[in-house]
Amino acid sequence: MDAQSRGRADEIDPADQWVLNPQTGNYELRLGQSAAQSAPSGGSSSRSAARKATDGSGSAQRTPPPRSAQGRRTQTPGREVPPQRSRRAGDASGGQNPPHAGRRKRKQANSRKKKAMMWTGGVVAFLVVATSVAGYLVYRHFDGNLNTVDVAGAGSGGFKKDQAVNILVIGTDKRSGAGNESYGDKDSVGHADTTILFHVSKDRTNATAVSIPRDLITDIPDCETKTGDSTKIIPGTQKTRFNESLGQSGRDPGCTMRTVKELTGVTVDHFMMADFNAVKTMTTAVGGVEVCLAKDINDKDSKLNLPAGKHVLAGEDALAFVRTRHSVGFGGDLSRIEIQQQFLSSLIRKMKSSDTLSSPSKMWDLAEAATKALTVDTGIGKISRLRDLGMELSKVDPKNITFATVPVVDNTDGATVLLSEEKAKPLFSMIQNDTSLTEVKQKEQDAKNKQKGLLTGPRAAAADVRVAVYNGSNTQGAALATLTWLQNEEGVLKSSNEGNAPEKLTKTTLTYAPNQADQARKLADLMGLPATALKPGTANAEGLEAMTLTLGADYKGAGVPITGPAKAPEGVQKVEADKQVCAK
C-alpha cells in the first residue's frame, strides 16, 4: 500500500481504501490523500464507500467529498452533496413509485442482488487489505528483532529450492543476557562452543546435522571480516582448537564458516548463531522439552540436579541440561555433544507437534524468542527468508534427520582431540554428495543398481585393473593427480595419464568392455563411482586394451569419492531425531 511505503501503516483505515466506481459498478482501491485517514466512528466509512457520489448533473465525482470531524460528509465548494437514496428507488425524477410498480420486481431483485454482491466485495476487500497491513506489521516487528552480520562467503539471496542447503548453527559461550554472567568465563568474547553443520538434502527428504567438537585441533585459515565499507584480513592459525575460529582475534562467523569448509570440504551457505538465552527462551515458548535420564544427575558445575526418568525442562533447567558434561558419559565435551543432540531432537519433535503448531500463542512466542535470540547473515536476515527456509525444513520427517559427530581420536595432551580421517572422510563425502545417513537414499540407490545390474558381481584385484585416465573436468592436472593416487595409494599400477579429453564432461564416466566388468566394478569401488557412471560396451577387449576413465565436472579431487558411500562407516556416533535416547 501507498501509506505503508510512507511509514503510516498504523493510521490506515483499510475499509476506507475501497470505493464504489459508479461507472463500472465495482469497488476499486483508492490510493490518494485519504489513504492515511483514521476510521470514523459508527462505521460510516464502509457505508459512505458504498454510496454513489454524483454532481448536480448526475455525473460521477472523481474524488469523494471530505469528512467532518464527526465522520459526516461535508460540502465541497461549488457542489452540493446529493441526498442518500431511499432503499426503494423511485422514478428518474425522484417521485413515488408508479402504479404498475409490480412490473419492475425483476429489476429491483437484480438491483438488490447487485448491491449485495457489492457489499460482499467490500467485506472481502476489507479483509484482504487488513490482512496485508497486519502481515506487514508482523514482518516489520520480527525483522526488528533479528541481529544480522555481513560476512564474507555467505549467500546473498537466501537459498535455492532446487539445491541442497548447508547452514552452520553456532552456539557461543558468550555470557550476555540476564542471569548468564554466573556461568563460567563471564568475560568470554563468544567462541564457537557448540557448532553443528546442518545439511538439508536437495529433495528435502532428509537432513544430516554433524556436530564439530570445540576442542578439535585443526587449521583456521585466513578470513575476511567486514565493518561497514571496510574489510580486514585476519591471519589464520595452524593446529589450534576449532572453537577459536570465532571471537578469537576478532574473527566473525564467516571465519567459522570458512574453517568448516576447509575441514569438511562442504561449502556453507548461511549461519545462525545463538547464545545461552536462546535455549532458555525457546524452550519456554514451546512449553518445555522432554528429556530422559538413565541415571540420577547432580552436576555442580551446570547446576543440574534431577533423578533418573523423564522430565520436561524449560528456561534455566533446559540450559543446565545442555551444559552438563561432568555427570554424563565420560565427563567430557564429547559426552555433552551427545546430550545436546538428544535435546535438539526432542526440541524438533516438540516444534513439529500438533500441540505447538495448533497453538497461535506458542507459535508467536516461539517466533518472538527465536528472532530475538538469533544472529544471522544478511543473506537470510529477513523474516520472509527465514520463513521460506523454515517451510523447506518442515518438509523433512524427523525420522530422516540424523545427528552425528565428526569422528575424532584423543590427542596426547588429554584435553583436545584429533580428526579420525579414516572415518571422517567418508562422512564428509556423504554430505558433499547429498547422501543420507538414513535409509531414504540408500533404498533408491539399491533399486537403481539392481535395475542396472552393473555393480553386482565379482571384483578384480587392484593390480589387474587397466585404465587410461582423461581429464574432462574443469580442474587443471586432475588426470595426473588421479593417476598418482591410484598408483601410490590404491595399487592400480596398470594405469596411464592420457591428458585432456576431447571435450568437457558434466559427469565422470568409465567406459569398459564386457570382459572388463570385474575391473570396472573394482575401480568404481575405489573411486566411489555411481552405477550411472559406468558405460559398458558391446565388444570384448583384446590384449592389453585398457578401460577409459574420463573425469567430469563432478570431480572433487584425487581420492575423493565421486558419490558418497552408501552408508556411514562403522563407529560414527549418530542418532535419528525421532528417537528418544536417555542420557547415561
Side-chain angles (χ1 to χ4, degrees):
M1 295 180 67
D2 184 57
Q4 291 177 9
S5 64
R6 296 194 297 271
R8 301 200 308 249
D10 291 339
E11 302 172 359
I12 293 173
D13 176 7
D16 197 58
Q17 307 311 303
W18 293 86
V19 295
L20 181 66
N21 184 336
Q23 296 178 345
T24 64
N26 297 325
Y27 280 94
E28 296 178 357
L29 181 63
R30 180 180 64 214
L31 298 178
Q33 184 176 0
S34 63
Q37 288 177 346
S38 59
S41 61
S44 61
S45 171
S46 58
R47 290 196 299 272
S48 64
R51 298 173 186 157
K52 281 188 176 181
T54 58
D55 58 19
S57 62
S59 61
Q61 294 180 183
R62 296 184 62 84
T63 57
R67 298 170 185 242
S68 67
Q70 289 75 31
R72 296 188 298 270
R73 293 295 185 187
T74 60
Q75 292 185 358
T76 302
R79 294 181 185 268
E80 291 184 0
V81 179
Q84 182 176 0
R85 298 186 179 185
S86 63
R87 189 174 298 273
R88 296 178 58 86
D91 58 15
S93 62
Q96 300 298 319
N97 291 333
H100 303 290
R103 296 178 183 177
R104 303 183 62 181
K105 286 183 178 179
R106 180 178 298 275
K107 186 174 182 180
Q108 289 175 352
N110 289 338
S111 177
R112 286 196 297 270
K113 183 177 180 181
K114 184 176 182 180
K115 288 179 179 178
M117 292 177 64
M118 290 179 178
W119 185 86
T120 304
V123 172
V124 173
F126 177 90
L127 292 175
V128 170
V129 178
T131 303
S132 65
V133 172
Y136 169 78
L137 295 177
V138 168
Y139 274 44
R140 189 172 66 177
H141 170 78
F142 287 128
D143 277 342
N145 287 347
L146 282 171
N147 295 310
T148 60
V149 178
D150 186 12
V151 300
S156 59
F159 67 98
K160 295 181 179 180
K161 293 186 178 182
D162 59 345
Q163 293 183 5
V165 59
N166 298 305
I167 302 170
L168 197 64
V169 181
I170 307 172
T172 76
D173 58 359
K174 193 171 184 179
R175 269 63 174 173
S176 58
N180 295 328
E181 62 278 356
S182 61
Y183 297 130
D185 182 10
K186 66 178 181 179
D187 297 321
S188 174
V189 295
H191 296 102
D193 196 50
T194 298
T195 306
I196 298 175
L197 175 60
F198 195 70
H199 168 84
V200 185
S201 68
K202 177 180 178 180
D203 61 8
R204 308 300 189 249
T205 63
N206 64 89
T208 302
V210 180
S211 296
I212 303 175
R214 67 173 192 180
D215 296 323
L216 172 66
I217 297 299
T218 189
D219 295 335
I220 299 175
D222 296 349
C223 67
E224 178 184 297
T225 60
K226 298 181 179 181
T227 303
D229 295 330
S230 63
T231 61
K232 177 183 179 181
I233 302 297
I234 299 178
T237 306
Q238 304 297 307
K239 308 298 181 185
T240 190
R241 277 182 166 88
F242 173 83
N243 70 341
E244 293 184 3
S245 63
L246 177 68
Q248 199 78 9
S249 304
R251 295 183 176 115
D252 65 14
C255 299
T256 308
M257 291 170 60
R258 185 165 182 180
T259 302
V260 169
K261 182 177 181 179
E262 292 290 321
L263 175 67
T264 66
V266 177
T267 299
V268 181
D269 301 305
H270 303 285
F271 81 86
M272 294 181 179
M273 184 169 65
D275 58 17
F276 286 176
N277 281 336
V279 177
K280 296 193 291 187
T281 58
M282 292 180 68
T283 53
T284 300
V286 297
V289 174
E290 184 177 88
V291 300
C292 179
L293 302 179
K295 63 179 182 180
D296 297 347
I297 290 182
N298 187 359
D299 192 319
K300 64 179 181 179
D301 292 317
S302 69
K303 311 285 193 303
L304 183 67
N305 186 356
L306 292 173
K310 294 182 178 180
H311 305 271
V312 176
L313 305 181
E316 293 288 348
D317 292 334
L319 178 60
F321 182 82
V322 298
R323 294 187 64 250
T324 294
R325 56 174 171 162
H326 298 302
S327 300
V328 293
F330 297 104
D333 187 55
L334 295 179
S335 297
R336 183 176 64 168
I337 286 177
E338 291 186 23
I339 67 170
Q340 287 176 347
Q341 292 174 350
Q342 295 161 21
F343 179 85
L344 289 173
S345 296
S346 183
L347 178 59
I348 289 173
R349 294 195 298 270
K350 185 62 178 287
M351 290 172 64
K352 292 176 74 72
S353 69
S354 59
D355 178 56
T356 299
L357 297 178
S358 63
S359 172
S361 61
K362 284 186 178 181
M363 292 298 291
W364 177 274
D365 290 346
L366 183 58
E368 183 85 352
T371 52
K372 284 185 176 180
L374 287 176
T375 297
V376 300
D377 61 88
T378 52
I380 54 173
K382 291 184 178 297
I383 193 64
S384 58
R385 290 179 178 174
L386 288 177
R387 177 209 60 191
D388 292 343
L389 180 60
M391 293 296 290
E392 292 297 301
L393 300 184
S394 67
K395 298 175 183 178
V396 184
D397 193 310
K399 70 180 181 181
N400 294 321
I401 301 176
T402 306
F403 285 89
T405 303
V406 170
V408 295
V409 294
D410 290 335
N411 198 3
T412 54
D413 60 9
T416 58
V417 293
L418 303 173
L419 187 70
S420 174
E421 296 195 10
E422 179 184 359
K423 295 178 180 179
K425 282 188 174 181
L427 177 61
F428 297 156
S429 179
M430 293 182 74
I431 299 175
Q432 294 165 12
N433 292 282
D434 199 23
T435 302
S436 172
L437 291 184
T438 65
E439 297 298 317
V440 178
K441 290 288 186 180
Q442 181 56 33
K443 289 179 180 178
E444 295 177 0
Q445 191 61 49
D446 287 346
K448 291 179 181 178
N449 292 345
K450 184 176 181 180
Q451 181 181 5
K452 289 181 172 292
L454 298 179
L455 296 180
T456 57
R459 267 72 170 159
D464 295 331
V465 174
R466 293 181 179 273
V467 60
V469 183
Y470 291 84
N471 184 12
S473 74
N474 299 317
T475 303
Q476 186 175 1
L480 177 60
T482 298
L483 177 73
T484 302
W485 171 75
L486 285 172
Q487 292 185 345
N488 295 341
E489 302 294 332
E490 302 298 338
V492 183
L493 302 178
K494 298 176 182 178
S495 52
S496 62
N497 174 17
E498 303 299 328
N500 292 330
E503 60 181 357
K504 299 288 185 181
L505 295 183
T506 303
K507 302 289 185 180
T508 297
T509 62
L510 175 62
T511 304
Y512 62 98
N515 60 344
Q516 295 174 322
D518 57 341
Q519 298 181 46
R521 296 187 194 104
K522 180 62 177 180
L523 190 63
D525 290 346
L526 296 175
M527 297 190 63
L529 297 176
T532 53
L534 275 61
K535 309 296 181 183
T538 57
N540 284 333
E542 298 181 359
L544 302 179
E545 184 178 348
M547 300 182 295
T548 300
L549 172 68
T550 306
L551 303 174
D554 55 353
Y555 170 83
K556 300 180 181 66
V560 178
I562 299 299
T563 185
K567 60 181 181 179
E570 295 295 329
V572 173
Q573 177 272 326
K574 58 189 180 71
V575 62
E576 282 74 41
D578 67 322
K579 296 180 175 63
Q580 185 175 59
V581 180
C582 296
K584 301 178 181 179

